[in-house]
Coordinates of all heavy atoms in Angstrom, one line a residue:
M1 N 0.8 -1.2 0.0 CA 0.0 0.0 0.0 C 0.9 1.2 0.0 O 1.9 1.3 0.7 CB -0.9 0.0 1.2 CG -1.8 1.2 1.3 SD -2.8 1.4 2.8 CE -3.5 -0.2 3.0
R2 N 0.5 2.2 -0.8 CA 1.3 3.5 -0.9 C 0.5 4.6 -0.2 O -0.7 4.7 -0.5 CB 1.6 3.8 -2.3 CG 2.4 2.8 -3.0 CD 2.6 3.1 -4.4 NE 3.8 3.9 -4.5 CZ 4.3 4.5 -5.6 NH1 3.6 4.4 -6.7 NH2 5.4 5.2 -5.6
I3 N 1.1 5.3 0.7 CA 0.4 6.4 1.4 C 1.2 7.7 1.3 O 2.5 7.7 1.5 CB 0.3 6.0 2.9 CG1 -0.6 4.7 3.0 CG2 -0.4 7.1 3.7 CD1 -0.6 4.1 4.3
L4 N 0.6 8.8 1.0 CA 1.2 10.1 1.0 C 0.5 10.9 2.1 O -0.7 11.2 2.1 CB 1.0 10.8 -0.3 CG 1.6 12.2 -0.4 CD1 3.1 12.2 -0.2 CD2 1.2 12.8 -1.8
L5 N 1.3 11.4 3.0 CA 0.9 12.3 4.1 C 1.4 13.7 3.7 O 2.5 13.8 3.2 CB 1.4 11.9 5.4 CG 1.1 10.5 5.8 CD1 1.9 10.0 7.0 CD2 -0.4 10.3 6.1
S6 N 0.6 14.7 4.0 CA 1.0 16.1 3.5 C 0.7 17.1 4.6 O -0.4 17.1 5.2 CB 0.3 16.4 2.2 OG 0.6 17.7 1.8
T7 N 1.6 18.1 4.8 CA 1.4 19.2 5.7 C 2.3 20.3 5.3 O 3.3 20.2 4.6 CB 1.7 18.8 7.2 OG1 1.3 19.9 8.0 CG2 3.1 18.5 7.4
F8 N 1.9 21.5 5.7 CA 2.8 22.7 5.6 C 2.7 23.5 6.8 O 1.7 24.1 7.1 CB 2.4 23.5 4.4 CG 3.4 24.6 4.1 CD1 4.5 24.4 3.3 CD2 3.1 25.9 4.5 CE1 5.4 25.4 3.1 CE2 4.0 26.9 4.3 CZ 5.2 26.7 3.5
G9 N 3.8 23.5 7.6 CA 3.8 24.2 8.9 C 5.0 24.0 9.6 O 6.1 23.6 9.1
S10 N 5.0 24.3 10.9 CA 6.1 24.2 11.8 C 6.4 22.7 12.2 O 5.7 21.8 11.8 CB 5.9 25.0 13.0 OG 4.9 24.5 13.8
R11 N 7.4 22.6 13.0 CA 7.7 21.2 13.5 C 6.6 20.5 14.2 O 6.4 19.3 14.1 CB 8.9 21.3 14.4 CG 9.5 19.9 14.8 CD 10.8 20.1 15.5 NE 11.3 18.7 15.9 CZ 12.5 18.5 16.2 NH1 13.4 19.4 16.2 NH2 12.9 17.3 16.6
G12 N 5.7 21.3 14.8 CA 4.5 20.8 15.5 C 3.5 20.2 14.5 O 2.7 19.4 14.9
D13 N 3.6 20.6 13.3 CA 2.7 20.1 12.2 C 3.4 18.9 11.5 O 2.7 17.9 11.1 CB 2.4 21.1 11.2 CG 1.7 22.3 11.8 OD1 0.6 22.1 12.3 OD2 2.3 23.4 11.7
V14 N 4.7 19.0 11.4 CA 5.5 18.0 10.6 C 5.8 16.7 11.4 O 5.6 15.6 10.9 CB 6.8 18.6 10.0 CG1 7.6 17.6 9.3 CG2 6.4 19.8 9.0
Q15 N 6.3 16.9 12.6 CA 6.8 15.7 13.3 C 5.7 14.7 13.6 O 6.0 13.5 13.5 CB 7.4 16.2 14.6 CG 8.3 15.1 15.2 CD 9.3 15.6 16.3 OE1 9.3 16.8 16.6 NE2 10.1 14.8 16.8
P16 N 4.4 15.0 13.9 CA 3.4 14.0 14.1 C 3.2 13.2 12.8 O 3.0 12.0 12.9 CB 2.2 14.8 14.5 CG 2.7 16.0 15.1 CD 3.9 16.4 14.3
L17 N 3.2 13.8 11.7 CA 3.1 13.0 10.4 C 4.3 12.1 10.2 O 4.1 11.0 9.6 CB 2.9 14.0 9.2 CG 1.5 14.6 9.2 CD1 1.3 15.4 7.9 CD2 0.4 13.6 9.3
L18 N 5.5 12.6 10.6 CA 6.7 11.8 10.4 C 6.5 10.5 11.3 O 6.8 9.4 10.9 CB 7.9 12.6 10.8 CG 9.2 11.8 10.9 CD1 9.5 11.1 9.6 CD2 10.4 12.7 11.3
A19 N 6.0 10.7 12.5 CA 5.8 9.6 13.4 C 4.8 8.6 12.9 O 5.0 7.4 12.9 CB 5.4 10.1 14.8
L20 N 3.7 9.1 12.3 CA 2.7 8.3 11.6 C 3.3 7.5 10.5 O 3.1 6.3 10.3 CB 1.5 9.1 11.2 CG 0.4 8.4 10.4 CD1 -0.1 7.2 11.3 CD2 -0.7 9.3 10.0
A21 N 4.1 8.2 9.7 CA 4.8 7.5 8.5 C 5.7 6.4 9.0 O 5.8 5.3 8.4 CB 5.6 8.6 7.7
V22 N 6.5 6.7 10.1 CA 7.4 5.6 10.6 C 6.5 4.4 11.0 O 6.9 3.3 10.7 CB 8.2 6.2 11.8 CG1 8.9 5.0 12.6 CG2 9.2 7.2 11.3
A23 N 5.4 4.6 11.7 CA 4.6 3.5 12.2 C 4.0 2.8 11.0 O 3.9 1.5 11.0 CB 3.4 4.0 13.0
L24 N 3.5 3.5 10.0 CA 3.0 2.9 8.8 C 4.0 2.0 8.0 O 3.7 0.9 7.5 CB 2.4 3.9 7.8 CG 1.1 4.6 8.3 CD1 0.7 5.8 7.5 CD2 -0.1 3.6 8.4
R25 N 5.2 2.6 7.9 CA 6.3 1.8 7.3 C 6.6 0.5 8.0 O 7.0 -0.5 7.5 CB 7.5 2.7 7.1 CG 7.3 3.8 6.1 CD 8.4 4.8 6.0 NE 9.6 4.3 5.4 CZ 9.8 4.1 4.0 NH1 8.9 4.6 3.2 NH2 10.9 3.7 3.6
A26 N 6.6 0.6 9.4 CA 6.8 -0.6 10.2 C 5.8 -1.7 9.9 O 6.0 -2.9 10.1 CB 6.8 -0.2 11.7
L27 N 4.6 -1.2 9.5 CA 3.5 -2.2 9.1 C 3.6 -2.6 7.7 O 2.7 -3.4 7.2 CB 2.1 -1.5 9.4 CG 1.8 -1.3 10.9 CD1 0.6 -0.4 11.0 CD2 1.8 -2.6 11.7
G28 N 4.6 -2.1 7.0 CA 4.8 -2.6 5.6 C 4.3 -1.6 4.5 O 4.4 -2.0 3.3
A29 N 3.7 -0.5 4.9 CA 3.2 0.5 3.9 C 4.4 1.3 3.3 O 5.4 1.5 4.0 CB 2.2 1.4 4.5
D30 N 4.2 1.8 2.1 CA 5.2 2.7 1.5 C 4.7 4.1 1.8 O 4.1 4.7 1.0 CB 5.3 2.4 0.0 CG 6.3 3.3 -0.7 OD1 7.1 4.0 0.0 OD2 6.2 3.4 -1.9
A31 N 5.1 4.6 3.0 CA 4.6 5.9 3.4 C 5.6 7.0 3.1 O 6.8 6.7 3.3 CB 4.3 5.9 4.9
R32 N 5.2 8.1 2.6 CA 6.0 9.2 2.3 C 5.3 10.5 2.9 O 4.1 10.5 3.0 CB 6.2 9.4 0.8 CG 6.9 8.2 0.2 CD 6.8 8.1 -1.3 NE 7.3 6.8 -1.7 CZ 8.4 6.7 -2.4 NH1 9.1 7.8 -2.8 NH2 8.9 5.6 -2.8
V33 N 6.1 11.5 3.1 CA 5.5 12.8 3.6 C 5.9 13.9 2.7 O 7.1 14.1 2.4 CB 6.0 13.0 5.1 CG1 5.4 14.3 5.6 CG2 5.6 11.9 6.0
C34 N 4.9 14.7 2.4 CA 5.1 16.0 1.6 C 5.1 17.1 2.7 O 4.1 17.3 3.3 CB 4.0 16.1 0.6 SG 4.2 17.6 -0.4
A35 N 6.2 17.8 2.8 CA 6.3 18.8 3.9 C 7.4 19.9 3.4 O 8.1 19.7 2.5 CB 6.8 18.2 5.2
P36 N 7.4 21.0 4.1 CA 8.4 22.0 3.8 C 9.8 21.5 3.8 O 10.2 20.6 4.6 CB 8.2 23.1 4.8 CG 6.9 22.9 5.4 CD 6.6 21.4 5.3
P37 N 10.7 22.0 2.9 CA 12.1 21.5 2.8 C 13.0 22.2 3.8 O 14.2 22.3 3.5 CB 12.4 21.8 1.4 CG 11.7 23.0 1.0 CD 10.4 22.9 1.8
D38 N 12.6 22.6 4.9 CA 13.5 23.2 5.9 C 14.6 22.3 6.3 O 14.3 21.0 6.4 CB 12.7 23.6 7.2 CG 11.7 24.8 6.9 OD1 10.7 24.5 6.2 OD2 12.0 25.9 7.2
E39 N 15.8 22.8 6.6 CA 16.9 21.9 6.9 C 16.6 21.0 8.1 O 17.0 19.8 8.1 CB 18.1 22.8 7.2 CG 19.4 22.0 7.5 CD 20.6 22.9 7.7 OE1 20.6 24.1 7.4 OE2 21.5 22.4 8.3
E40 N 15.9 21.5 9.1 CA 15.7 20.6 10.3 C 14.8 19.5 9.9 O 14.9 18.4 10.4 CB 15.1 21.4 11.5 CG 13.7 21.9 11.2 CD 13.1 22.7 12.4 OE1 12.9 22.1 13.5 OE2 12.9 23.9 12.3
F41 N 13.8 19.7 9.0 CA 12.9 18.6 8.6 C 13.7 17.6 7.7 O 13.5 16.4 7.9 CB 11.7 19.2 7.8 CG 10.9 20.1 8.6 CD1 10.2 21.1 7.9 CD2 10.8 20.1 10.0 CE1 9.4 22.0 8.6 CE2 10.0 21.0 10.7 CZ 9.3 21.9 10.0
V42 N 14.5 18.1 6.9 CA 15.4 17.2 6.0 C 16.2 16.2 6.9 O 16.2 15.0 6.7 CB 16.3 18.0 5.1 CG1 17.3 17.1 4.4 CG2 15.5 18.8 4.1
K43 N 16.8 16.8 8.0 CA 17.5 15.9 8.9 C 16.7 14.9 9.6 O 17.0 13.8 9.8 CB 18.3 16.8 9.9 CG 19.4 17.6 9.3 CD 20.1 18.5 10.3 CE 21.2 19.3 9.7 NZ 21.8 20.2 10.6
L44 N 15.5 15.4 10.1 CA 14.6 14.5 10.8 C 14.2 13.3 9.9 O 14.2 12.1 10.4 CB 13.3 15.2 11.3 CG 13.4 16.1 12.5 CD1 12.1 16.9 12.7 CD2 13.6 15.2 13.7
F45 N 13.8 13.6 8.7 CA 13.4 12.6 7.8 C 14.5 11.6 7.4 O 14.3 10.4 7.3 CB 12.7 13.2 6.5 CG 11.3 13.6 6.8 CD1 11.0 14.8 7.4 CD2 10.2 12.8 6.4 CE1 9.7 15.2 7.6 CE2 8.9 13.2 6.7 CZ 8.7 14.4 7.3
A46 N 15.7 12.1 7.2 CA 16.8 11.3 6.9 C 17.1 10.3 8.0 O 17.4 9.2 7.8 CB 18.0 12.2 6.6
A47 N 17.1 10.9 9.3 CA 17.3 10.0 10.4 C 16.3 8.9 10.6 O 16.6 7.9 11.2 CB 17.4 10.9 11.7
S48 N 15.1 9.2 10.1 CA 14.0 8.3 10.3 C 13.8 7.3 9.1 O 12.9 6.5 9.1 CB 12.6 9.0 10.5 OG 12.7 9.8 11.7
D49 N 14.6 7.6 8.1 CA 14.5 6.8 6.9 C 13.1 6.8 6.2 O 12.6 5.8 5.7 CB 14.9 5.3 7.1 CG 15.3 4.6 5.8 OD1 15.7 5.2 4.9 OD2 15.1 3.3 5.8
V50 N 12.5 8.0 6.2 CA 11.2 8.2 5.6 C 11.5 9.3 4.5 O 12.0 10.3 4.7 CB 10.2 8.8 6.6 CG1 8.9 9.2 5.9 CG2 9.9 7.7 7.7
P51 N 11.0 9.0 3.2 CA 11.2 9.9 2.2 C 10.4 11.2 2.4 O 9.3 11.2 2.8 CB 10.6 9.2 0.9 CG 10.7 7.8 1.3 CD 10.4 7.7 2.8
L52 N 11.1 12.3 2.2 CA 10.5 13.7 2.3 C 10.4 14.2 0.9 O 11.3 14.3 0.2 CB 11.4 14.6 3.1 CG 11.0 16.1 3.1 CD1 9.7 16.3 3.7 CD2 12.1 16.9 3.8
L53 N 9.1 14.5 0.6 CA 8.8 15.1 -0.7 C 8.6 16.6 -0.5 O 7.7 17.0 0.1 CB 7.6 14.5 -1.4 CG 7.6 12.9 -1.4 CD1 6.3 12.4 -1.9 CD2 8.7 12.5 -2.4
P54 N 9.6 17.4 -0.9 CA 9.5 18.9 -0.6 C 8.2 19.5 -1.1 O 7.8 19.3 -2.3 CB 10.7 19.5 -1.3 CG 11.6 18.3 -1.6 CD 10.7 17.1 -1.8
A55 N 7.6 20.3 -0.2 CA 6.4 21.0 -0.6 C 6.7 22.5 -0.6 O 7.1 23.1 0.4 CB 5.3 20.8 0.5
F56 N 6.5 23.1 -1.8 CA 6.7 24.6 -1.9 C 8.1 25.0 -1.6 O 9.0 24.7 -2.2 CB 5.6 25.3 -1.1 CG 4.2 24.9 -1.4 CD1 3.5 24.2 -0.4 CD2 3.6 25.0 -2.7 CE1 2.2 23.7 -0.7 CE2 2.3 24.6 -2.9 CZ 1.6 23.9 -1.9
R57 N 8.2 25.7 -0.4 CA 9.5 26.3 0.0 C 9.5 26.2 1.5 O 8.6 25.8 2.2 CB 9.6 27.7 -0.5 CG 8.6 28.6 0.0 CD 8.7 30.0 -0.6 NE 7.8 30.9 0.0 CZ 7.9 32.2 -0.1 NH1 8.9 32.7 -0.7 NH2 7.0 33.0 0.5
S58 N 10.7 26.6 2.0 CA 10.9 26.6 3.5 C 9.8 27.4 4.2 O 9.5 28.6 3.8 CB 12.3 27.3 3.7 OG 12.4 27.6 5.1
V59 N 9.3 26.8 5.2 CA 8.3 27.5 6.0 C 8.9 28.7 6.7 O 8.2 29.8 6.9 CB 7.5 26.6 7.0 CG1 8.4 26.2 8.2 CG2 6.2 27.2 7.5
R60 N 10.1 28.6 7.1 CA 10.8 29.8 7.8 C 11.0 30.9 6.8 O 10.7 32.1 7.2 CB 12.2 29.3 8.3 CG 12.1 28.4 9.5 CD 13.5 28.1 10.0 NE 13.4 27.0 11.0 CZ 13.1 27.2 12.3 NH1 12.9 28.4 12.7 NH2 13.1 26.2 13.1
D61 N 11.3 30.7 5.6 CA 11.4 31.8 4.6 C 10.0 32.4 4.3 O 9.9 33.6 4.2 CB 11.9 31.2 3.2 CG 13.4 30.8 3.3 OD1 14.0 31.2 4.3 OD2 13.8 30.1 2.4
W62 N 9.0 31.6 4.3 CA 7.6 32.1 4.1 C 7.2 33.0 5.2 O 6.6 34.0 5.0 CB 6.7 30.9 3.9 CG 5.3 31.3 3.6 CD1 4.7 31.8 2.5 CD2 4.2 31.2 4.6 NE1 3.4 32.0 2.7 CE2 3.1 31.7 3.9 CE3 4.1 30.8 5.9 CZ2 1.8 31.7 4.6 CZ3 2.9 30.8 6.5 CH2 1.8 31.3 5.9
I63 N 7.4 32.5 6.4 CA 7.1 33.3 7.6 C 7.8 34.7 7.6 O 7.2 35.7 7.9 CB 7.3 32.5 8.9 CG1 6.3 31.4 9.0 CG2 7.2 33.5 10.1 CD1 6.6 30.4 10.2
T64 N 9.1 34.6 7.3 CA 9.9 35.9 7.3 C 9.3 36.8 6.3 O 9.3 38.0 6.5 CB 11.4 35.5 6.9 OG1 11.9 34.6 7.9 CG2 12.2 36.8 6.9
E65 N 8.9 36.3 5.1 CA 8.3 37.2 4.1 C 7.0 37.8 4.5 O 6.7 38.9 4.2 CB 8.1 36.4 2.8 CG 7.6 37.2 1.7 CD 7.4 36.3 0.4 OE1 8.4 35.7 0.0 OE2 6.3 36.3 -0.1
M66 N 6.2 37.0 5.3 CA 4.9 37.5 5.7 C 5.0 38.6 6.8 O 4.1 39.3 7.0 CB 4.1 36.4 6.3 CG 3.7 35.4 5.2 SD 2.6 36.1 4.0 CE 3.6 35.9 2.5
L67 N 6.2 38.6 7.5 CA 6.3 39.6 8.6 C 6.6 41.0 8.1 O 7.0 41.6 7.5 CB 7.4 39.2 9.6 CG 7.1 37.9 10.3 CD1 8.3 37.5 11.2 CD2 5.9 38.1 11.2

């Protein structure tokens, strides 16, 4: 089974989906997450061995632009 989880937000939005993807992968699903390509998220996903599919742009850059 292939599953795509998607979010755009801070670590509080991204990390729960990463945890869900890890659990789904442990059950045999091909889970991936579409999330902002911030450096901290890239590192989290690499350490968890879950594919990160970059969504749009860095959430930090977007927030800075909105201020």
